[in-house]
Amino acid sequence: MNASARASVPTFKLMLGIVRFAPWRYAGNAILWTLVWVMPVIPGLISKEFFDGLTGEASVSFGVDTLIAFMAAYGLGRVALVAVAMLNDVYFRFRVGSLLRRNMIGRILSLPGARAVPDSPGEAISRFRDEVEHVEEAVDLTVDMVGTVAFSTVAVVVLASINAQITLFVFAPLVLVILIAERAGTRIRIYRQAAREATGRVTGAIGEMFGSVQSIKVGGAEHHMIGNFRVLNEARRKVMVRDRVLNSILESVFWNTVNIGTAIILVLAAGAMQSSGSGAEFTVGDFALFVYFLTFATDAVHFVGIFIARFRQAGVAFERMAELLQGAPPETLVVPRDLELRGAWSAVAPPPDRGTLQSLEVKGLSYTYPGSDTGIEKVDLQVARGSFTVVTGRIGSGKTTLLRALLGLLKPDTGEVRWNGRIVDDAASFFVPPRTAYTPQIPRLFSMSLKDNLLMGLERSDDEVAAAIASAVMEPDLAAMAEGLDTKVGPLGVRLSGGQVQRTAAARMFIRRPELYVFDDLSSALDVETENTLWERLFADHQVVTSLVVSHRRPALRRADQIIVMNEGRIEAVGTLSELLVTSEELRRLWSEEPGEDNGANSVPV
């Protein structure tokens, strides 16, 4: 996201939106923490009366026992108040974080699936975790600002009634701290933005390495990857040091400003007591009250400086979270949502019923990847009920892009998709089970059991699960697994072979019994015999099966009712295998490069 886009993120407006989402929790927080901040005035006034009583300058005097009783009661009351305030604060912060994460994940899920996350998963996780925590903290600190203002107001009134000059020096550092923090705000934003981006690159690299361990080991790239990781870490170290040093300098300035003010106050107070004598206007109790308030005034002054810095950093956090919205206004982050999970998914309206699939038609479908000239252009195709349609072509010809644009995983630039002659308005929500099931080029499994990966929350009988396993030609593999369907497949299915991952994904499709099967090069990790068996079993139970398949493999091409040949993003030819081997030079080239079933012979079917 460019600098102008970042500058347009309204930090204050977004924080106000969060407050409006949970107004009662926030109001409770503000009241409770204001009381926590103001309560120290009570023991200060008690101490003043006690010391004035010792010198005979108080109208009411009391002894040490009474002082201890007062302080004990105050301590118990403050502990109880802080406990209630902390409990309310935890609930409030949890709701703030949940709202931000809910709106980000909601936006991601509403985007075309193939372009939903603009950066690496590690970078996205960093925004869900770190940036949300920064905003939580900043919003949370606003209630402390309310408490600081309330405490400062009460303290100024009490102290000014005793000595206005000394009171001025108590709170003069507050103004200086605010000016320093405000002047440093731009630098804080720049350093924090650089630090967060560097951290995101490091976490993204970690995620990529964990997801590609096998490729790294096979390629002997361990040293290269570690070297790259060191470079990223070194870059992060430099910007993080700058960020931390700036914060430390500001904190040092805040504290030293306060300490200088404290020294001046003590000198002035001592002079006032010395000049006034025994019957002076400035008493020992007054001195005790000023000294007592110094600690809390110091905390308040320091807090104001920290809050201004955190507010700036929250702006950076909002900017980075807004990048995940990919075009949606930043206010999307704070749109009020029901955070109750029960029935959340069932409440989503089902896609409109368009009847059992009779025909699928694509007209003028085009998509160009942002920042490039690659994609697909003006694609027309038809898939009839019960047909087996194969899309083929060389690498980069647009086969996968075609499937993704058709299914709504990419938002087409132009064109339309029709189901039974009627236009599909929202392909992403329309082409879902049980209407359609899709397996991508690289299937994704989750770190759960094999059975959980098949069902994904679906209710199916053991017989149905077994039938799906058999259709995917996984019975021998399942028999070799000691825990059977309860076998944990590991992150991304790392405990399974490539062929097992693909057949697990196929079984996940079969168990949903969709009207349209969409396979993107499903058989690339299967041997010819297994692939032949899989296709035979898919059609074996005499049900009407409609399939749209990306493949260059001979078993799929031999079985196809219709072959669509892609070349440089366009459809070059359409027909049966026997027709295209005569009329399409591109298909003949693809056929000749693919090993045949019979000892690699390049025989042409008749």
Side-chain angles (χ1 to χ4, degrees):
M1 183 174 285
N2 57 39
S4 62
R6 287 177 181 147
S8 67
V9 175
T11 304
F12 180 79
K13 183 178 180 180
L14 295 179
M15 292 178 70
L16 187 60
I18 290 174
V19 171
R20 289 172 176 168
F21 168 65
W24 295 112
R25 285 285 181 188
Y26 183 83
N29 247 9
I31 293 171
L32 290 169
W33 287 105
T34 298
L35 291 175
V36 170
W37 273 91
V38 173
M39 276 188 73
V41 172
I42 297 173
L45 296 175
I46 293 174
S47 298
K48 168 180 165 52
E49 292 301 317
F50 173 75
F51 284 108
D52 282 345
L54 293 179
T55 58
E57 296 171 342
S59 57
V60 179
S61 61
F62 48 87
V64 175
D65 293 342
T66 305
L67 177 65
I68 293 174
F70 279 146
M71 294 302 181
Y74 164 79
L76 292 174
R78 185 175 172 82
V79 168
L81 181 61
V82 169
V84 175
M86 286 296 295
L87 181 63
N88 186 77
D89 185 60
V90 168
Y91 277 103
F92 175 71
R93 289 192 61 156
F94 182 81
R95 293 184 68 81
V96 169
S98 298
L99 176 67
L100 294 172
R101 294 183 177 102
R102 162 67 178 80
N103 284 334
M104 282 191 289
I105 195 67
R107 172 60 178 170
I108 288 172
L109 293 177
S110 71
L111 290 167
R115 306 286 294 177
V117 180
D119 300 300
S120 68
E123 170 73 5
I125 290 172
S126 172
R127 301 183 194 205
F128 272 84
R129 180 191 62 214
D130 300 333
E131 312 311 337
V132 168
E133 289 178 356
H134 283 307
V135 171
E136 283 181 16
E137 182 180 9
V139 175
D140 198 42
L141 289 178
T142 60
V143 301
D144 292 287
M145 277 299 298
V146 174
T148 299
V149 171
F151 166 78
S152 300
T153 302
V154 174
V156 166
V157 171
V158 173
L159 297 181
S161 66
I162 299 173
N163 189 304
Q165 182 185 19
I166 299 177
T167 302
L168 176 64
F169 279 97
V170 171
F171 291 95
L174 180 64
V175 178
L176 183 58
V177 164
I178 292 174
L179 291 175
I180 294 172
E182 184 61 31
R183 291 298 299 272
T186 302
R187 189 60 55 185
I188 291 172
R189 175 181 290 274
I190 293 173
Y191 285 0
R192 179 49 56 100
Q193 179 71 30
R196 300 313 310 149
E197 288 178 353
T199 300
R201 286 191 289 270
V202 170
T203 56
I206 292 173
E208 289 174 355
M209 284 191 292
F210 283 173
S212 307
V213 172
Q214 186 176 13
S215 298
I216 293 172
K217 291 177 69 68
V218 170
E222 294 94 332
H223 293 294
H224 173 74
M225 297 302 295
I226 292 173
N228 180 62
F229 189 60
R230 283 175 176 164
V231 171
L232 294 176
N233 257 326
E234 178 63 18
R236 178 177 180 269
R237 183 188 66 80
K238 291 178 180 178
V239 295
M240 288 296 292
V241 166
R242 286 191 303 180
D243 184 43
R244 296 291 176 86
V245 167
L246 177 60
N247 278 316
S248 297
I249 290 174
L250 288 175
E251 290 195 21
S252 177
V253 170
F254 299 155
W255 281 115
N256 287 319
T257 301
V258 170
N259 290 335
I260 292 171
T262 300
I264 295 174
I265 292 165
L266 292 174
V267 171
L268 291 174
M273 293 181 65
Q274 185 177 12
S275 64
S276 56
S278 59
E281 296 178 359
F282 199 84
T283 67
V284 174
D286 295 335
F287 180 77
L289 183 62
F290 269 86
V291 172
Y292 173 80
F293 273 172
L294 281 179
T295 300
F296 295 98
T298 297
D299 289 343
V301 171
H302 176 250
F303 172 78
V304 170
I306 296 302
F307 172 75
I308 293 174
R310 294 292 184 272
F311 182 83
R312 296 282 186 175
Q313 291 165 356
V316 174
F318 275 127
E319 291 164 4
R320 284 173 53 76
M321 287 189 288
E323 291 175 12
L324 287 179
L325 303 181
Q326 298 190 69
E331 290 78 9
T332 304
L333 291 168
V334 296
V335 172
R337 303 286 186 186
D338 182 8
L339 301 180
E340 183 61 58
L341 293 179
R342 291 194 299 269
W345 300 116
S346 61
V348 178
D353 183 17
R354 298 291 174 82
T356 302
L357 174 63
Q358 302 300 326
S359 66
L360 177 69
E361 187 177 4
V362 175
K363 289 186 176 180
L365 200 65
S366 298
Y367 176 83
T368 302
Y369 288 96
S372 74
D373 57 358
T374 60
I376 58 173
E377 185 178 359
K378 298 180 181 179
V379 171
D380 297 335
L381 65 88
Q382 291 184 333
V383 176
R385 175 177 174 80
S387 66
F388 188 85
T389 299
V390 175
V391 180
T392 193
R394 69 183 73 184
I395 295 174
S397 61
K399 305 182 297 297
T400 295
T401 303
L402 170 58
L403 293 191
R404 290 178 173 179
L406 187 157
L407 297 175
L409 299 176
L410 294 172
K411 186 177 181 180
D413 301 325
T414 60
E416 63 184 28
V417 178
R418 293 176 178 268
W419 180 281
N420 295 341
R422 299 176 64 184
I423 294 178
V424 176
D425 297 316
D426 184 3
S429 63
F430 184 85
F431 288 108
V432 295
R435 180 174 287 119
T436 304
Y438 167 66
T439 293
Q441 210 167 24
I442 303 175
R444 296 293 184 180
L445 301 185
F446 299 90
S447 186
M448 302 184 294
S449 70
L450 181 62
K451 184 175 182 179
D452 288 335
N453 270 284
L454 295 178
L455 295 176
M456 298 294 293
L458 196 67
E459 295 291 336
R460 288 290 186 265
S461 67
D462 292 342
D463 289 341
E464 290 174 305
V465 172
I469 291 287
S471 296
V473 201
M474 278 202 67
E475 316 101 299
D477 305 84
L478 187 62
M481 298 177 185
E483 298 181 54
L485 287 171
D486 293 325
T487 299
K488 300 296 184 182
V489 303
L492 302 179
V494 295
R495 296 180 182 175
L496 304 180
S497 69
Q500 288 173 331
V501 169
Q502 288 195 319
R503 282 176 287 140
T504 299
R508 185 160 60 193
M509 295 179 71
F510 299 155
I511 205 168
R512 280 157 175 76
R513 300 190 294 273
E515 296 183 50
L516 174 66
Y517 291 89
V518 182
F519 300 93
D520 189 352
D521 207 12
L522 174 69
S523 59
S524 60
L526 306 182
D527 59 72
V528 172
E529 182 181 352
T530 301
E531 181 182 358
N532 265 321
T533 304
L534 188 148
W535 295 131
E536 289 172 1
R537 292 183 180 181
L538 177 61
F539 297 94
D541 58 1
H542 305 293
Q543 64 173 341
V544 177
V545 175
T546 308
S547 303
L548 179 59
V549 178
V550 165
S551 181
H552 60 277
R553 300 283 293 269
R554 289 192 173 189
L557 294 173
R558 287 182 182 279
R559 184 174 291 275
D561 301 302
Q562 174 184 225
I563 298 174
I564 298 172
V565 182
M566 299 285 295
N567 192 6
E568 296 184 351
R570 289 175 172 268
I571 292 181
E572 181 176 281
V574 179
T576 64
L577 177 60
S578 57
E579 292 171 347
L580 293 176
L581 285 173
V582 174
T583 61
S584 173
E585 181 180 349
E586 182 71 8
L587 184 64
R588 285 198 299 271
R589 189 189 67 81
L590 293 169
W591 181 266
S592 65
E593 292 179 356
E594 181 65 19
E597 298 92 327
D598 300 321
N599 300 320
N602 294 326
S603 57
V604 177
V606 293

